[in-house]
């Protein structure tokens, strides 16, 4: 099969189109013929090997040579313990370990897959899994956003952020989106009531406080986040610098005890229950996967460059088979 392969961390130039063997599914996996795969922040991190947690699979070189986790396609072969799917089924979901999707075929366990809704294209389905589940956990499941609450989303114009802004609005919050200069109108179009350009303003220093902050790109001190929270407010760090994540891990419990402000890391396990829940909201038209651009598999380096240069608004999707409706 064709796959986009890399053997060292670096710029998109290290990504090469190669011909490699089709993977063999384990007993609890299905082999999927991929029609679409979307790019997440985790792919960019896995490419450059930063922050340090992106090197968990391999400190000096990538532990797995293919990036891409959010796939949509058709089941080609099912392992002997698979009960929910059979060859021919249209499925989508997230490959555990954030790898394997920039290819014509990949294997995934059924616990992270769901049936692709008939009314949704493969590209739309591939845009949902990781980003949609992060947003669902951060805003609804753990964030428990209530009508009238003030919610800030940092990194609001990226993959998970675009779902989070829409979800927070759906549940009645007053939403502030923080992102790069050229995404301000885009954030408003998603429903954000207020926007902050991170290149010009620091949301932790403007005197405003929020009930919930969902931070997709945490890089400040834990004390700055404490300042930006209302009494009893909650701050969730989803990704960001290792220094900040460690501070939150070690000082978060102390801040909770002494101030009542809830500062935590948000770990989001890959699972098909949340995937189905967020997809139902998309099917009902209550929120939408926002696809900025599509590229063919051979142009993954260009797609990663577009994302890495901060151009993307929402999701970028790789379409793998051009003769199918994606
Ligand atoms: N906790 C978990 O269990 C879990 C699971 C999966 C993934 N993750 C993590 O989730 C994180 C977010 O993923 P994603 O896919 O949403 O990322 P993404 O698509 O890259 O979006 C990040 C957004 O943040 C913006 N941004 C960059 N610097 C910023 C700053 N200083 N202030 C505000 N916004 C800024 C980016 O815009 P520009 O590029 O234009 O600057 C971009 O729009 C990743 O770090 C990933 O590793 C966590």
């Amino acid at each position: 099969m064709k796959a986009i392969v890399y053997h060292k961390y670096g710029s998109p130039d290290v990504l090469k189109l190669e011909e490699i063997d089709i993977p063999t599914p384990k007993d609890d996996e299905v082999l999927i013929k991929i029609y679409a795969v979307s790019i997440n922040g985790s792919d960019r991190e896995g490419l450059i090997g930063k922050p340090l947690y992106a090197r968990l699979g391999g400190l000096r070189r990538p532990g797995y040579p293919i990036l891409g986790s959010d796939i949509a396609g058709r089941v080609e072969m099912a392992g002997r313990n698979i009960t929910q799917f059979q060859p021919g089924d249209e499925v989508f979901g997230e490959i555990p370990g954030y790898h394997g999707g920039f290819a014509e075929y990949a294997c995934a366990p059924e616990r992270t897959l769901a049936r692709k809704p008939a009314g949704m294209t493969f590209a739309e389905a591939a845009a949902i899994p990781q980003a949609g589940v992060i947003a669902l956990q951060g805003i609804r499941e753990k964030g428990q956003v209530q009508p009238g609450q003030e919610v800030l989303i940092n990194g609001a114009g990226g993959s998970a952020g675009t779902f989070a802004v829409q979800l927070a609005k759906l549940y009645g919050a007053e939403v502030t989106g923080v992102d790069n200069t050229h995404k301000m109108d885009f954030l408003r179009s998603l429903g954000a009531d207020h926007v902050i350009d991170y290149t010009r303003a620091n949301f932790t220093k403007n005197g405003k406080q929020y009930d919930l902050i969902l931070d997709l790109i945490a890089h400040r001190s834990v004390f700055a986040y404490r300042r930006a929270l209302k009494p009893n407010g909650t701050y969730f760090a989803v990704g960001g610098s290792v220094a900040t994540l460690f501070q939150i891990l070690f000082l978060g419990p102390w801040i909770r005890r002494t101030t009542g402000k809830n500062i935590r890391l948000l770990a989001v396990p890959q699972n098909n229950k949340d995937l189905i829940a967020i997809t139902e909201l998309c099917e009902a038209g209550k929120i939408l996967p926002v696809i900025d651009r599509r590229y063919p598999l051979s142009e993954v380096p260009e797609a990663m460059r577009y994302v890495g240069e901060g151009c993307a608004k929402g999701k970028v999707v790789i379409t793998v088979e051009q003769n199918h409706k994606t």
Side-chain angles (χ1 to χ4, degrees):
M1 66 171 184
K2 290 191 175 55
I4 296 288
V5 172
Y6 78 133
H7 299 290
K8 59 181 179 186
Y9 297 113
S11 75
D13 297 340
V14 302
L15 297 166
K16 305 287 176 212
L17 183 67
E18 287 184 9
E19 200 68 44
I20 61 170
D21 291 341
I22 294 175
T24 307
K26 299 191 187 111
D27 289 349
D28 64 343
E29 289 180 335
V30 291
L31 174 69
I32 299 160
K33 186 175 174 66
I34 298 171
Y35 293 162
V37 48
S38 77
I39 297 178
N40 288 292
S42 52
D43 296 311
R44 166 88 187 142
E45 293 169 345
L47 173 64
I48 62 177
K50 285 185 198 152
L52 199 57
Y53 58 72
R55 295 187 183 227
L56 279 176
L59 201 56
R60 292 167 65 84
R61 61 183 66 86
Y64 196 89
I66 306 173
L67 290 162
S69 64
D70 287 9
I71 54 165
R74 204 180 294 275
V75 173
E76 193 78 2
M77 190 193 296
R80 68 167 78 172
N81 298 338
I82 296 295
T83 57
Q84 297 173 39
F85 304 115
Q86 57 188 25
D89 287 347
E90 293 181 351
V91 295
F92 72 117
E94 188 175 356
I95 307 173
Y98 312 118
H99 56 60
F102 293 161
E104 290 180 315
Y105 295 86
C107 296
E110 62 184 349
R111 70 184 155 79
T112 65
L113 297 174
R115 272 173 210 284
K116 181 183 80 62
M120 206 174 254
T121 65
F122 286 103
E124 287 165 343
I128 297 174
Q130 188 186 116
V133 170
I134 289 175
L136 190 77
Q137 282 283 324
I139 299 296
R140 190 176 88 176
E141 302 300 308
K142 300 273 170 49
Q144 301 195 342
V145 165
Q146 304 297 318
Q149 284 192 326
E150 291 184 81
V151 173
L152 180 138
I153 294 148
N154 193 37
S159 303
T162 47
F163 283 100
V165 170
Q166 297 180 74
L167 271 184
K169 283 305 294 176
L170 181 67
Y171 295 117
E174 183 175 332
V175 178
T176 300
V178 185
D179 212 298
N180 210 339
T181 319
H182 63 102
K183 297 182 199 170
M184 299 295 101
D185 285 344
F186 171 62
L187 295 181
R188 287 190 197 95
S189 76
L190 293 174
D193 302 286
H194 314 282
V195 293
I196 297 176
D197 175 351
Y198 77 77
T199 67
R200 299 204 176 130
N202 178 344
F203 74 86
T204 67
K205 285 190 175 165
N206 63 6
K208 279 281 304 168
Q209 291 189 317
Y210 300 90
D211 296 289
L212 175 70
I213 297 173
L214 182 66
D215 198 348
L216 301 155
I217 187 111
H219 61 284
R220 294 194 170 91
S221 116
V222 72
F223 302 108
Y225 298 131
R226 182 180 65 176
R227 193 166 55 231
L229 277 184
K230 289 185 186 178
N232 299 318
T234 296
Y235 168 93
F236 286 135
V238 179
S241 85
V242 169
T244 295
L245 300 184
F246 269 115
Q247 260 196 27
I248 292 168
L249 194 61
F250 292 115
L251 296 179
W254 170 71
I255 292 177
R256 283 202 292 282
R257 267 199 315 278
T258 54
T259 68
K261 296 184 181 186
N262 188 17
I263 298 186
R264 294 176 181 274
L265 303 181
L266 182 70
V268 184
Q270 298 155 326
N271 69 93
N272 57 10
K273 179 175 151 281
D274 285 340
L275 177 59
I276 291 167
I278 188 84
T279 304
E280 283 173 355
L281 292 174
C282 294
E283 277 186 279
K286 295 189 171 167
I287 61 169
L288 293 172
V290 181
I291 299 176
D292 178 348
R293 280 196 182 182
R294 300 164 195 233
Y295 291 83
L297 184 65
S298 59
E299 290 178 20
V300 166
E302 284 76 11
M304 291 294 277
R305 210 166 278 122
Y306 181 72
V307 170
E309 287 167 358
C311 304
K313 295 177 182 140
K315 301 287 304 192
V316 170
V317 174
I318 308 300
T319 53
V320 180
E321 281 238 337
Q322 298 307 318
N323 55 345
H324 284 271
K325 192 175 164 223
T326 51

